[in-house]
Amino acid sequence: MKSITVEKIEGPQWTHYNSQQKQAGHQLLALTAFQGHRLVCHWLSPDGFVTAAVLHWSGLDFPSLSPHLPEVAFDEREIHDLFGYVPKGHPDLRPLMRTPRWPADFYPLNGTSQFPPNWLDTQPDNPAKIVEGDGVTVMKVGPTHAGIIESGHFVFSIIGENVLHLDLHLFQNHRGVEKSLEGLALEEVPRLVSRICGADTVSHQTNWAMAVEQLAGYQVPETLRWERVVLLESERVLCHLNDLAQIPAGVGFQVAHQRALAMKELWQRGLLELFGHRLLFDTVQPGGAARVEVDSLLKLIQTMNKVWHPWRNFVEKHHGFNDRMTGVGLVRRDDAARFGAVGVAARAAGLNFDVRTLMPLYQNLTIPATKGGAGDVAARFKVRLQEVESSWRILQIALNHLREAPAILRWHPPEDLSGEIVSYSESPHGLNVHVVELEQGHVRRYHVRPATFRNWPLVAMATAGNAVADFPLINKSFELCYSCSDR
Amino acid sequence: MHWQNKSLQLRHLDAGSCNGCEQELTALTSQAYDISQFGIDLVASPRHADALVVTGPVTDTMIKPLQKVWEAIPRPKRLVALGDCAAGCGVFQKAYACHGGVASAFGSPDLVIRGCPPQPTEMLEQLKRFQNNSQTATESGL
């Protein structure tokens, strides 16, 4: 990564400076709060330069960016919940992670709260935003669901069959991941980071590894770069196969669902044999990555292709299925840009952002642009179809390089490593960012800003105006992980 | 109550899992494992369930919903902790918003399936044994 430019911003300039970054076409990486009244907003320029805008202030209030940058509305609510800092001027400062069960003085990241907290014996529900009026019904779904899915609570205001407004009440899976990472020594971190999310685990592991390596000034050898590309792309295939299986399930298209699950199973059995884990947990560490048997993975890709193409042909030519996806759950390009959408959802809406094009890991590869455009469920489905195939092509290139690549010795980071860094990668769900502060080889602050967190508000927007019965389909077309987002 | 040769209907509840256990539980319902051929299935309502399968270290926000779902399951009923987090030996059990797994948060499970996440073959074996072994049918929660 290129070096980070640090800009110290005075309070009154905070909103102006960050709005300008957005207008200049820079990508928001993360808005991170620290103890001692400090905020850092990391921006990524289109040519790969990172700027850290830093705000110091006194008192609890800081100027809210949300009225100008709606994409940080959730971030600022999170900061309010966990630090007690108050984003002044925020349009909707309801609790995000906090529940009525949290003690009033418990702000887990502010450095002065007592652990464990004395939970209050009350229900965890926060106030919901609903529509009132004749004929409007409020329908609550979750947090527990009828299928095998993660917990999340949705409050629908509906009129007849149509959704007027969807209020998201997520964060039931909030474990306190960032706090758990604080104080850990370098070698203790990978096991936890690997389990932030079962779907984007390699991306999280790679972010941690890159953060440590950049702070230590370690030049990642080519062999290791290719090994990580193999793992990241294997994860993308795995996750996309899962999502491609779930979307047909959203309309009861069992044949397509089951055949896709069978492909996923085939891929997972290969991953277990090659890397020792069906979901690729514990495969990347600072200075290392799981080795791959080149020929076995190439053979697996060949086997996959034999079942993939008939399936792709089958679903693409199924008129009923395509009719059900077309025009449903629309995300307009403008909204995607305004809300900082990332990953499949952004590309399906016509934004051509894929952070792999800016990652040093992928510097010798061309990442093909995907054709999305319409921003509906059908577009998100099609983007994944294309990305599975492009991942297999990238895998083949990487594997061919690895055939020739010299073996490397495992590097270990210095035990007293200190510093502050941001690292990012393209997880299957999109831009995944970690902000890491180390002090004498221990984590002082660890902030995780996964792709799903950024995209959740879009699910709510895309659902309004659709039939309530289409929500499962719309939700599955984003297939956002809750655990990443909730942490 | 004899559990021998009875079907086993499971209701799943995620209490802070990373989605790993969910993915592998979903695999059990696919044609590769076809769990329903053994009379075991995942059902949509606690009213239809014989047992509750909990994943995750039990986050504070899920404690009340967990109690509600458990109460909604007709007796006799059994409790299953799936995966290391639910088993109380996961990496996040000491995180501030977690209650350290099913046993310390809620009650002693009748079956604990370890693994991070457990592999589908392992889950299936343990569930089949659980289904067929009347000795494991404690009277918890009755």
Side-chain angles (χ1 to χ4, degrees), chain A residues 126-161:
Chain A
N126 281 316
K129 256 192 188 168
I130 55 166
V131 182
E132 289 178 333
D134 283 347
V136 180
T137 309
V138 174
M139 189 179 90
K140 294 182 173 181
V141 177
T144 65
H145 297 278
I148 310 168
I149 44 174
E150 295 174 273
S151 294
H153 182 49
F154 303 93
V155 181
F156 295 89
S157 296
I158 52 179
I159 188 155
E161 285 289 307

mmCIF file of all heavy atoms in Angstrom, chain A residues 126-161:
data_model
loop_
_atom_site.group_PDB
_atom_site.id
_atom_site.type_symbol
_atom_site.label_atom_id
_atom_site.label_comp_id
_atom_site.label_asym_id
_atom_site.label_seq_id
_atom_site.Cartn_x
_atom_site.Cartn_y
_atom_site.Cartn_z
ATOM 1 N N ASN A 126 -35.528 -1.769 20.893
ATOM 2 C CA ASN A 126 -35.368 -0.321 20.785
ATOM 3 C C ASN A 126 -36.588 0.274 20.081
ATOM 4 O O ASN A 126 -37.306 -0.435 19.379
ATOM 5 C CB ASN A 126 -34.097 -0.004 19.989
ATOM 6 C CG ASN A 126 -32.856 -0.142 20.844
ATOM 7 O OD1 ASN A 126 -32.827 0.315 21.977
ATOM 8 N ND2 ASN A 126 -31.840 -0.803 20.310
ATOM 9 N N PRO A 127 -36.817 1.597 20.246
ATOM 10 C CA PRO A 127 -37.969 2.197 19.570
ATOM 11 C C PRO A 127 -37.852 2.074 18.041
ATOM 12 O O PRO A 127 -36.760 2.219 17.485
ATOM 13 C CB PRO A 127 -37.918 3.665 20.007
ATOM 14 C CG PRO A 127 -36.597 3.867 20.661
ATOM 15 C CD PRO A 127 -36.084 2.546 21.090
ATOM 16 N N ALA A 128 -38.992 1.774 17.412
ATOM 17 C CA ALA A 128 -38.982 1.583 15.957
ATOM 18 C C ALA A 128 -39.592 2.790 15.262
ATOM 19 O O ALA A 128 -40.440 3.482 15.821
ATOM 20 C CB ALA A 128 -39.766 0.330 15.600
ATOM 21 N N LYS A 129 -39.152 3.018 14.030
ATOM 22 C CA LYS A 129 -39.774 4.045 13.196
ATOM 23 C C LYS A 129 -40.848 3.374 12.367
ATOM 24 O O LYS A 129 -40.555 2.489 11.563
ATOM 25 C CB LYS A 129 -38.722 4.640 12.246
ATOM 26 C CG LYS A 129 -38.250 5.993 12.670
ATOM 27 C CD LYS A 129 -37.444 6.648 11.575
ATOM 28 C CE LYS A 129 -36.837 7.913 12.128
ATOM 29 N NZ LYS A 129 -35.826 8.469 11.251
ATOM 30 N N ILE A 130 -42.072 3.788 12.560
ATOM 31 C CA ILE A 130 -43.158 3.157 11.814
ATOM 32 C C ILE A 130 -43.978 4.223 11.102
ATOM 33 O O ILE A 130 -43.894 5.408 11.421
ATOM 34 C CB ILE A 130 -44.073 2.317 12.735
ATOM 35 C CG1 ILE A 130 -44.602 3.194 13.878
ATOM 36 C CG2 ILE A 130 -43.342 1.119 13.289
ATOM 37 C CD1 ILE A 130 -45.748 2.560 14.627
ATOM 38 N N VAL A 131 -44.776 3.784 10.117
ATOM 39 C CA VAL A 131 -45.694 4.691 9.435
ATOM 40 C C VAL A 131 -47.055 4.554 10.103
ATOM 41 O O VAL A 131 -47.486 3.440 10.388
ATOM 42 C CB VAL A 131 -45.802 4.327 7.933
ATOM 43 C CG1 VAL A 131 -46.719 5.294 7.204
ATOM 44 C CG2 VAL A 131 -44.421 4.315 7.297
ATOM 45 N N GLU A 132 -47.700 5.676 10.366
ATOM 46 C CA GLU A 132 -49.038 5.616 10.958
ATOM 47 C C GLU A 132 -50.051 6.128 9.954
ATOM 48 O O GLU A 132 -49.737 6.976 9.128
ATOM 49 C CB GLU A 132 -49.084 6.462 12.233
ATOM 50 C CG GLU A 132 -48.294 5.826 13.372
ATOM 51 C CD GLU A 132 -48.298 6.676 14.630
ATOM 52 O OE1 GLU A 132 -48.432 7.912 14.506
ATOM 53 O OE2 GLU A 132 -48.164 6.101 15.720
ATOM 54 N N GLY A 133 -51.283 5.616 10.027
ATOM 55 C CA GLY A 133 -52.333 6.099 9.138
ATOM 56 C C GLY A 133 -53.352 5.021 8.855
ATOM 57 O O GLY A 133 -53.156 3.860 9.242
ATOM 58 N N ASP A 134 -54.441 5.398 8.176
ATOM 59 C CA ASP A 134 -55.496 4.435 7.878
ATOM 60 C C ASP A 134 -54.958 3.310 7.003
ATOM 61 O O ASP A 134 -54.318 3.570 5.987
ATOM 62 C CB ASP A 134 -56.650 5.127 7.129
ATOM 63 C CG ASP A 134 -57.494 5.947 8.086
ATOM 64 O OD1 ASP A 134 -57.322 5.758 9.306
ATOM 65 O OD2 ASP A 134 -58.296 6.779 7.606
ATOM 66 N N GLY A 135 -55.242 2.094 7.383
ATOM 67 C CA GLY A 135 -54.881 0.953 6.544
ATOM 68 C C GLY A 135 -53.427 0.533 6.631
ATOM 69 O O GLY A 135 -53.018 -0.398 5.956
ATOM 70 N N VAL A 136 -52.655 1.215 7.482
ATOM 71 C CA VAL A 136 -51.248 0.828 7.608
ATOM 72 C C VAL A 136 -51.097 -0.190 8.736
ATOM 73 O O VAL A 136 -51.604 0.008 9.835
ATOM 74 C CB VAL A 136 -50.341 2.047 7.898
ATOM 75 C CG1 VAL A 136 -48.882 1.610 8.026
ATOM 76 C CG2 VAL A 136 -50.488 3.093 6.809
ATOM 77 N N THR A 137 -50.434 -1.291 8.423
ATOM 78 C CA THR A 137 -50.206 -2.339 9.415
ATOM 79 C C THR A 137 -48.715 -2.405 9.716
ATOM 80 O O THR A 137 -47.903 -2.249 8.807
ATOM 81 C CB THR A 137 -50.642 -3.710 8.846
ATOM 82 O OG1 THR A 137 -51.963 -3.577 8.345
ATOM 83 C CG2 THR A 137 -50.584 -4.793 9.894
ATOM 84 N N VAL A 138 -48.391 -2.637 10.987
ATOM 85 C CA VAL A 138 -46.984 -2.831 11.333
ATOM 86 C C VAL A 138 -46.749 -4.320 11.544
ATOM 87 O O VAL A 138 -47.462 -4.975 12.307
ATOM 88 C CB VAL A 138 -46.608 -2.034 12.591
ATOM 89 C CG1 VAL A 138 -45.194 -2.365 13.033
ATOM 90 C CG2 VAL A 138 -46.738 -0.543 12.309
ATOM 91 N N MET A 139 -45.783 -4.853 10.805
ATOM 92 C CA MET A 139 -45.488 -6.276 10.879
ATOM 93 C C MET A 139 -44.058 -6.443 11.370
ATOM 94 O O MET A 139 -43.127 -5.929 10.754
ATOM 95 C CB MET A 139 -45.645 -6.895 9.496
ATOM 96 C CG MET A 139 -45.570 -8.388 9.485
ATOM 97 S SD MET A 139 -45.807 -9.017 7.804
ATOM 98 C CE MET A 139 -44.135 -9.041 7.221
ATOM 99 N N LYS A 140 -43.910 -7.173 12.463
ATOM 100 C CA LYS A 140 -42.564 -7.377 13.002
ATOM 101 C C LYS A 140 -42.093 -8.781 12.670
ATOM 102 O O LYS A 140 -42.837 -9.744 12.862
ATOM 103 C CB LYS A 140 -42.569 -7.168 14.511
ATOM 104 C CG LYS A 140 -42.883 -5.737 14.898
ATOM 105 C CD LYS A 140 -42.843 -5.552 16.392
ATOM 106 C CE LYS A 140 -42.986 -4.072 16.720
ATOM 107 N NZ LYS A 140 -42.920 -3.831 18.160
ATOM 108 N N VAL A 141 -40.888 -8.889 12.194
ATOM 109 C CA VAL A 141 -40.308 -10.187 11.844
ATOM 110 C C VAL A 141 -38.990 -10.348 12.603
ATOM 111 O O VAL A 141 -38.165 -9.450 12.600
ATOM 112 C CB VAL A 141 -40.056 -10.283 10.321
ATOM 113 C CG1 VAL A 141 -39.386 -11.604 9.975
ATOM 114 C CG2 VAL A 141 -41.350 -10.129 9.544
ATOM 115 N N GLY A 142 -38.826 -11.494 13.221
ATOM 116 C CA GLY A 142 -37.579 -11.749 13.931
ATOM 117 C C GLY A 142 -37.625 -11.270 15.361
ATOM 118 O O GLY A 142 -38.667 -10.830 15.809
ATOM 119 N N PRO A 143 -36.531 -11.325 16.122
ATOM 120 C CA PRO A 143 -35.184 -11.657 15.661
ATOM 121 C C PRO A 143 -34.966 -13.130 15.325
ATOM 122 O O PRO A 143 -34.001 -13.445 14.639
ATOM 123 C CB PRO A 143 -34.294 -11.264 16.846
ATOM 124 C CG PRO A 143 -35.174 -11.382 18.035
ATOM 125 C CD PRO A 143 -36.546 -11.016 17.556
ATOM 126 N N THR A 144 -35.822 -14.034 15.797
ATOM 127 C CA THR A 144 -35.624 -15.428 15.399
ATOM 128 C C THR A 144 -36.440 -15.691 14.144
ATOM 129 O O THR A 144 -37.465 -15.061 13.922
ATOM 130 C CB THR A 144 -36.066 -16.382 16.528
ATOM 131 O OG1 THR A 144 -37.474 -16.234 16.697
ATOM 132 C CG2 THR A 144 -35.365 -16.075 17.826
ATOM 133 N N HIS A 145 -35.945 -16.591 13.324
ATOM 134 C CA HIS A 145 -36.565 -16.803 12.017
ATOM 135 C C HIS A 145 -36.942 -18.257 11.792
ATOM 136 O O HIS A 145 -36.489 -19.143 12.497
ATOM 137 C CB HIS A 145 -35.615 -16.338 10.911
ATOM 138 C CG HIS A 145 -35.318 -14.876 10.981
ATOM 139 N ND1 HIS A 145 -36.163 -13.927 10.465
ATOM 140 C CD2 HIS A 145 -34.292 -14.204 11.536
ATOM 141 C CE1 HIS A 145 -35.654 -12.727 10.692
ATOM 142 N NE2 HIS A 145 -34.516 -12.857 11.342
ATOM 143 N N ALA A 146 -37.742 -18.449 10.737
ATOM 144 C CA ALA A 146 -38.268 -19.775 10.451
ATOM 145 C C ALA A 146 -37.245 -20.705 9.816
ATOM 146 O O ALA A 146 -37.444 -21.902 9.743
ATOM 147 C CB ALA A 146 -39.491 -19.657 9.536
ATOM 148 N N GLY A 147 -36.142 -20.169 9.338
ATOM 149 C CA GLY A 147 -35.155 -21.020 8.677
ATOM 150 C C GLY A 147 -33.860 -21.053 9.454
ATOM 151 O O GLY A 147 -33.803 -20.684 10.619
ATOM 152 N N ILE A 148 -32.808 -21.518 8.779
ATOM 153 C CA ILE A 148 -31.491 -21.541 9.418
ATOM 154 C C ILE A 148 -30.777 -20.262 9.012
ATOM 155 O O ILE A 148 -30.034 -20.228 8.034
ATOM 156 C CB ILE A 148 -30.679 -22.760 8.960
ATOM 157 C CG1 ILE A 148 -31.506 -24.031 9.105
ATOM 158 C CG2 ILE A 148 -29.374 -22.853 9.744
ATOM 159 C CD1 ILE A 148 -30.902 -25.223 8.410
ATOM 160 N N ILE A 149 -31.076 -19.189 9.689
ATOM 161 C CA ILE A 149 -30.381 -17.948 9.379
ATOM 162 C C ILE A 149 -30.024 -17.210 10.654
ATOM 163 O O ILE A 149 -30.476 -17.540 11.732
ATOM 164 C CB ILE A 149 -31.180 -17.013 8.439
ATOM 165 C CG1 ILE A 149 -32.642 -16.942 8.859
ATOM 166 C CG2 ILE A 149 -31.046 -17.429 7.005
ATOM 167 C CD1 ILE A 149 -33.410 -15.923 8.057
ATOM 168 N N GLU A 150 -29.224 -16.165 10.465
ATOM 169 C CA GLU A 150 -28.773 -15.402 11.613
ATOM 170 C C GLU A 150 -29.923 -14.552 12.141
ATOM 171 O O GLU A 150 -30.909 -14.306 11.457
ATOM 172 C CB GLU A 150 -27.592 -14.529 11.202
ATOM 173 C CG GLU A 150 -26.384 -15.343 10.796
ATOM 174 C CD GLU A 150 -25.282 -14.462 10.260
ATOM 175 O OE1 GLU A 150 -25.272 -14.166 9.060
ATOM 176 O OE2 GLU A 150 -24.436 -14.063 11.052
ATOM 177 N N SER A 151 -29.736 -14.050 13.357
ATOM 178 C CA SER A 151 -30.802 -13.304 13.999
ATOM 179 C C SER A 151 -30.799 -11.840 13.573
ATOM 180 O O SER A 151 -29.749 -11.204 13.512
ATOM 181 C CB SER A 151 -30.641 -13.398 15.514
ATOM 182 O OG SER A 151 -30.842 -14.736 15.910
ATOM 183 N N GLY A 152 -31.973 -11.327 13.299
ATOM 184 C CA GLY A 152 -32.141 -9.919 12.946
ATOM 185 C C GLY A 152 -33.612 -9.589 13.031
ATOM 186 O O GLY A 152 -34.465 -10.433 12.768
ATOM 187 N N HIS A 153 -33.907 -8.361 13.435
ATOM 188 C CA HIS A 153 -35.297 -7.982 13.664
ATOM 189 C C HIS A 153 -35.688 -6.916 12.640
ATOM 190 O O HIS A 153 -34.956 -5.946 12.452
ATOM 191 C CB HIS A 153 -35.396 -7.446 15.105
ATOM 192 C CG HIS A 153 -36.766 -7.056 15.520
ATOM 193 N ND1 HIS A 153 -37.865 -7.858 15.345
ATOM 194 C CD2 HIS A 153 -37.223 -5.936 16.129
ATOM 195 C CE1 HIS A 153 -38.939 -7.248 15.824
ATOM 196 N NE2 HIS A 153 -38.575 -6.083 16.304
ATOM 197 N N PHE A 154 -36.814 -7.126 11.972
ATOM 198 C CA PHE A 154 -37.252 -6.206 10.919
ATOM 199 C C PHE A 154 -38.652 -5.702 11.242
ATOM 200 O O PHE A 154 -39.549 -6.499 11.508
ATOM 201 C CB PHE A 154 -37.271 -6.916 9.563
ATOM 202 C CG PHE A 154 -35.938 -7.511 9.177
ATOM 203 C CD1 PHE A 154 -35.632 -8.829 9.478
ATOM 204 C CD2 PHE A 154 -34.985 -6.746 8.525
ATOM 205 C CE1 PHE A 154 -34.397 -9.373 9.140
ATOM 206 C CE2 PHE A 154 -33.748 -7.276 8.183
ATOM 207 C CZ PHE A 154 -33.462 -8.592 8.493
ATOM 208 N N VAL A 155 -38.827 -4.400 11.205
ATOM 209 C CA VAL A 155 -40.154 -3.831 11.458
ATOM 210 C C VAL A 155 -40.673 -3.224 10.160
ATOM 211 O O VAL A 155 -40.147 -2.216 9.681
ATOM 212 C CB VAL A 155 -40.098 -2.767 12.579
ATOM 213 C CG1 VAL A 155 -41.488 -2.213 12.849
ATOM 214 C CG2 VAL A 155 -39.504 -3.360 13.860
ATOM 215 N N PHE A 156 -41.694 -3.867 9.594
ATOM 216 C CA PHE A 156 -42.272 -3.414 8.324
ATOM 217 C C PHE A 156 -43.515 -2.577 8.587
ATOM 218 O O PHE A 156 -44.379 -2.985 9.363
ATOM 219 C CB PHE A 156 -42.725 -4.602 7.473
ATOM 220 C CG PHE A 156 -41.614 -5.512 7.015
ATOM 221 C CD1 PHE A 156 -41.206 -6.576 7.796
ATOM 222 C CD2 PHE A 156 -40.996 -5.309 5.783
ATOM 223 C CE1 PHE A 156 -40.191 -7.429 7.365
ATOM 224 C CE2 PHE A 156 -39.989 -6.163 5.352
ATOM 225 C CZ PHE A 156 -39.590 -7.218 6.138
ATOM 226 N N SER A 157 -43.622 -1.439 7.910
ATOM 227 C CA SER A 157 -44.910 -0.745 7.848
ATOM 228 C C SER A 157 -45.473 -1.056 6.469
ATOM 229 O O SER A 157 -44.846 -0.739 5.461
ATOM 230 C CB SER A 157 -44.720 0.765 7.982
ATOM 231 O OG SER A 157 -44.198 1.069 9.251
ATOM 232 N N ILE A 158 -46.650 -1.722 6.447
ATOM 233 C CA ILE A 158 -47.181 -2.151 5.152
ATOM 234 C C ILE A 158 -48.592 -1.640 4.936
ATOM 235 O O ILE A 158 -49.347 -1.422 5.882
ATOM 236 C CB ILE A 158 -47.165 -3.697 5.005
ATOM 237 C CG1 ILE A 158 -47.833 -4.377 6.200
ATOM 238 C CG2 ILE A 158 -45.759 -4.206 4.879
ATOM 239 C CD1 ILE A 158 -47.872 -5.881 6.092
ATOM 240 N N ILE A 159 -48.910 -1.435 3.681
ATOM 241 C CA ILE A 159 -50.293 -1.106 3.322
ATOM 242 C C ILE A 159 -50.688 -2.108 2.254
ATOM 243 O O ILE A 159 -50.042 -2.206 1.217
ATOM 244 C CB ILE A 159 -50.442 0.372 2.899
ATOM 245 C CG1 ILE A 159 -51.906 0.744 2.728
ATOM 246 C CG2 ILE A 159 -49.625 0.710 1.664
ATOM 247 C CD1 ILE A 159 -52.186 2.229 2.904
ATOM 248 N N GLY A 160 -51.707 -2.921 2.586
ATOM 249 C CA GLY A 160 -52.031 -4.028 1.699
ATOM 250 C C GLY A 160 -50.839 -4.964 1.627
ATOM 251 O O GLY A 160 -50.320 -5.409 2.629
ATOM 252 N N GLU A 161 -50.377 -5.229 0.414
ATOM 253 C CA GLU A 161 -49.240 -6.118 0.213
ATOM 254 C C GLU A 161 -47.921 -5.349 0.200
ATOM 255 O O GLU A 161 -46.851 -5.935 0.134
ATOM 256 C CB GLU A 161 -49.376 -6.828 -1.158
ATOM 257 C CG GLU A 161 -50.413 -7.920 -1.191
ATOM 258 C CD GLU A 161 -49.992 -9.134 -0.393
ATOM 259 O OE1 GLU A 161 -48.889 -9.647 -0.634
ATOM 260 O OE2 GLU A 161 -50.762 -9.546 0.497
#
